[in-house]
Amino acid sequence: MSTARPELHVLRQGHGDPVVLLHGFPLDHRMWSDVAAVLPGDAPILAPDLPGLGTGPVPGAEPSVDVAADAVADLLDATGARRAVVVGLSMGGYVALALAERRPDLVAGLGLVDTKSTADTREARENRWRIADEVAQAQTVDAVLGMPQNLLGTSSRQTRPELVARITAWIGDQSPDGIAWSQRAMAGRPDRTHVLVGFGGPVCVVVGAEDTVTPRTDAEHMVGASRAARLVQVEGAGHLSAVENPAPVAAVLAQLAAQALA
C-alpha cells in the first residue's frame, strides 16, 4: 500500500461507478471544475490532488509516476469503487496509463487529454531535473510561474488575460517540494505505449488544436497503438483544453463514460 494517498475531492455526487479526473502539472484538482460543472450524466466525479500537489502530501518515496498511480488506486479501493473511468490530462495522463498497467481491474475506460504515452527525451528529462533542483533549493515556485505561456493556446493567451491569471495563481499555490517531486517523477517515467496496445476498454484521446506541448502527433501515436481509440481535437485550446474549452471535453468524456460503464 502506498503512503502517499492523495486528497480526494468530490466534484459531483452521483450514482454508480465514478469518473476519476487526474490533473496536470503544476496544477491541482481545481483545473477540472469547469468540466465537472457541465459533464452530462449522473456518475460521481472524483478529482484527487495527486501526491505533492494541491493538498496531496509530498511522498517520502522515491519520485515515480507509479507511486502516484498506486495512491489513486488506494483512494479508489477506500471508496469501495470496483471500477472507474479514469481521465488524465498531461501528467494525469501519465498516471492514468500507469494505473491501467498496474491495476487494470480498476480501469473500465481511459480518457487521455493533452498527454502522451512515450517517455521524455533526454533533453526534457534534464530540464525537469534542473527545474526540480532549482525550486527545491530556492524553496519558491518562481521557476514554473511562467508556464501558462506554454500551457495555454495562443487564442487563450491573446484574448483571455483572466485565464492566464487564474492558471498562474493555481501554480503559485503549489509547494516547491511538491513541484520538485512531481518533476522528478515525470522525468523517470517509462514509455507506456504498450499499455494502450493491451488495454481492452474504450479509449478517448483529446488534444487541443493549439497544443504545442503534446501536439496532435502525440495524440495520433496513442490512437494508433490502441485497439479502438477515438481522437477528438478541441478548437481554440492549447495544452489545457479542459480549462480553455471545457464543454467539448465534457461531452466526449460523457460519451466515454457511457460506453465504459454500460
Side-chain angles (χ1 to χ4, degrees), residues 25 116 120-136 143-144 146-147 150-151 179-180 182-189 213:
F25 173 89
K116 61 183 179 181
D120 278 347
T121 64
R122 179 179 177 180
E123 180 182 10
R125 284 196 302 272
E126 290 176 348
N127 187 56
R128 290 194 195 278
W129 291 331
R130 177 187 62 79
I131 293 173
D133 290 344
E134 183 175 343
V135 297
V144 292
M147 284 187 67
N150 294 323
L151 297 177
I179 292 288
S182 299
Q183 282 281 46
R184 291 170 179 145
M186 289 187 287
R189 76 185 192 282
V213 179

Side-chain angles (χ1 to χ4, degrees), residues 58-150:
V58 180
E62 188 75 17
S64 170
V65 168
D66 293 357
V67 170
D70 290 348
V72 174
D74 288 351
L75 181 154
L76 289 175
D77 288 341
T79 66
R82 295 187 176 182
R83 62 177 189 159
V85 171
V86 180
V87 180
L89 183 144
S90 193
M91 181 183 71
Y94 308 153
V95 177
L97 285 168
L99 182 61
E101 180 177 52
R102 298 167 74 81
R103 288 290 303 277
D105 58 299
L106 284 175
V107 183
L110 270 175
L112 300 170
V113 184
D114 297 302
T115 190
K116 61 183 179 181
S117 60
T118 53
D120 278 347
T121 64
R122 179 179 177 180
E123 180 182 10
R125 284 196 302 272
E126 290 176 348
N127 187 56
R128 290 194 195 278
W129 291 331
R130 177 187 62 79
I131 293 173
D133 290 344
E134 183 175 343
V135 297
Q137 291 169 9
Q139 282 298 294
T140 76
V141 298
D142 291 351
V144 292
L145 275 179
M147 284 187 67
Q149 294 303 311
N150 294 323

Side-chain angles (χ1 to χ4, degrees), residues 7-253:
E7 185 78 11
L8 173 64
H9 299 272
V10 180
L11 300 187
R12 183 176 74 193
Q13 301 285 349
H15 307 284
D17 299 313
V19 175
V20 179
L21 304 177
L22 306 178
H23 61 80
F25 173 89
L27 307 172
D28 55 45
H29 75 281
R30 291 175 291 179
M31 60 143 287
W32 286 111
S33 58
D34 293 339
V35 165
V38 295
L39 185 66
D42 60 358
I45 302 176
L46 310 180
D49 282 336
L50 295 175
L53 298 171
T55 56
V58 180
E62 188 75 17
S64 170
V65 168
D66 293 357
V67 170
D70 290 348
V72 174
D74 288 351
L75 181 154
L76 289 175
D77 288 341
T79 66
R82 295 187 176 182
R83 62 177 189 159
V85 171
V86 180
V87 180
L89 183 144
S90 193
M91 181 183 71
Y94 308 153
V95 177
L97 285 168
L99 182 61
E101 180 177 52
R102 298 167 74 81
R103 288 290 303 277
D105 58 299
L106 284 175
V107 183
L110 270 175
L112 300 170
V113 184
D114 297 302
T115 190
K116 61 183 179 181
S117 60
T118 53
D120 278 347
T121 64
R122 179 179 177 180
E123 180 182 10
R125 284 196 302 272
E126 290 176 348
N127 187 56
R128 290 194 195 278
W129 291 331
R130 177 187 62 79
I131 293 173
D133 290 344
E134 183 175 343
V135 297
Q137 291 169 9
Q139 282 298 294
T140 76
V141 298
D142 291 351
V144 292
L145 275 179
M147 284 187 67
Q149 294 303 311
N150 294 323
L151 297 177
L152 296 171
T154 301
S155 298
S156 296
R157 295 197 311 271
Q158 291 181 348
T159 65
R160 302 174 68 187
E162 77 289 347
L163 184 57
V164 177
R166 183 183 181 195
I167 301 300
T168 303
W170 287 345
I171 295 172
D173 289 340
Q174 308 306 319
S175 77
D177 289 338
I179 292 288
W181 192 93
S182 299
Q183 282 281 46
R184 291 170 179 145
M186 289 187 287
R189 76 185 192 282
D191 187 313
R192 281 200 162 96
T193 304
H194 65 277
V195 176
L196 286 167
V197 174
F199 185 72
V203 177
C204 182
V205 178
V206 179
V207 62
E210 301 173 11
D211 188 346
T212 59
V213 179
T214 51
R216 187 180 173 99
T217 52
D218 289 322
E220 291 172 344
H221 173 78
M222 292 188 291
V223 171
S226 177
R227 299 180 187 181
R230 178 185 178 194
L231 176 60
V232 175
Q233 180 169 290
V234 178
E235 299 305 318
H239 192 59
L240 297 180
S241 60
V243 183
E244 297 173 76
N245 195 358
V249 176
V252 71
L253 295 184

